[in-house]
Amino acid sequence: MGGATSPQFAAAVSNAGGLGMLALGWSPPEAVRAEIRATKALTERPFGVNLVLTYPQEERLAICLEEGVAVVSFFWGQAGSLTVAAHRGGATVLHTAGSAEQARISAEDGADAIVAQGWEAGGHVYGRVATMALVPAVVDQVAPVPVLAAGGIADGRGLAAAMALGAAGALDRYPLSREHRSSNPSALSRPHPHSQGDGHRIRDCFQRRLARRSAP
Ligand SMILES: Cc1cc2nc3c(=O)[nH]c(=O)nc-3n(C[C@H](O)[C@H](O)[C@H](O)COP(=O)(O)O)c2cc1C
């Protein structure tokens, strides 16, 4: 979750048995290395980095691999040769897709798991299909590559529903914690917006895709 991750937050998620993520897609190279090292100091468990493909990522990816990051997650475009480079560096690759076709291409590129991001997701939204319709379509398209559901999964019931549709797990933003660093601290006291029904504003953003955030 760009802008809201931190070494403390990522390490806390990994230490709790999840996969903590650092969003480093637009961080200066020295910050990429520093954030990874700070996270490594707080957890011995695997964690991942997210690189948004709107920006060139060769240099950031190289630093992540030098630092031995276990998982690299790509979003907002096709990763192509970056997936190959990540594998050569020993990392597992996740790729977020907003359609079954995009998921198919990412799987052919060699992604180890696909994040099927539905229309309900917060932040930047790449597709226009609802999560519970997208997940089985992506599962059918990329099997046996595992699929993680994202978008509107606010509790265990949502996770169970996604898994009933073939997902291997879920990726979401609801485990907000004391370690979470947000530009809006009041987000800490709010439940996931999907747990209360509608509560979003949607606008176009770069590349004419959609950005979504919780309504105040
Ligand atoms: C504020 C915010 C920022 C986000 N930034 C990123 C990002 O930088 N990279 C990325 O791959 N996904 C990003 N996402 C999307 C999440 O990875 C995920 O797809 C989404 O949060 C799941 O849906 P949910 O918000 O309904 O839980 C962001 C989401 C939010 C809410």
Side-chain angles (χ1 to χ4, degrees):
M1 224 168 82
T5 61
S6 67
Q8 291 75 19
F9 187 33
V13 172
S14 288
N15 285 334
L19 179 67
M21 298 294 295
L22 294 171
L24 299 177
W26 49 89
S27 303
E30 60 277 12
V32 170
R33 200 179 295 280
E35 294 249 326
I36 293 169
R37 289 188 177 178
T39 308
K40 284 198 282 193
L42 295 170
T43 184
E44 294 183 353
R45 296 182 61 86
F47 62 91
V49 299
N50 174 252
L51 300 176
V52 179
L53 297 170
T54 314
Y55 310 103
Q57 296 297 1
E58 283 76 4
E59 185 181 5
R60 291 187 191 87
L61 177 62
I63 294 169
C64 295
L65 298 173
E66 276 170 29
E67 291 296 324
V69 163
V71 176
V72 178
S73 131
F74 295 115
F75 187 27
W76 219 261
Q78 292 310 133
S81 60
L82 293 174
T83 298
V84 176
H87 283 154
R88 283 206 188 108
T92 296
V93 174
L94 306 185
H95 197 118
T96 296
S99 69
E101 173 62 7
Q102 193 186 27
R104 182 187 66 74
I105 294 168
S106 299
E108 281 183 4
D109 279 349
D112 299 291
I114 302 294
V115 178
Q117 189 204 43
W119 157 255
E120 301 93 322
H124 292 101
V125 181
Y126 209 80
R128 299 195 181 219
V129 183
T131 303
M132 294 300 163
L134 180 65
V135 165
V138 170
V139 167
D140 288 348
Q141 193 66 248
V142 305
V145 176
V147 175
L148 304 175
I153 306 223
D155 55 21
R157 294 171 297 183
L159 175 61
M163 292 182 77
L165 295 169
L171 182 149
D172 61 77
R173 65 174 142 141
Y174 79 88
L176 294 178
S177 70
R178 280 190 299 275
E179 291 80 5
H180 172 269
R181 178 181 66 196
S182 171
S183 54
N184 177 6
S186 71
L188 286 171
S189 60
R190 288 206 302 264
H192 190 295
H194 290 292
S195 67
Q196 294 188 317
D198 191 22
H200 287 106
R201 286 196 306 224
I202 303 172
R203 62 184 169 84
D204 285 327
C205 64
F206 49 85
Q207 294 176 358
R208 300 190 63 77
R209 296 286 175 175
L210 300 170
R212 178 182 300 230
R213 65 191 177 97
S214 304

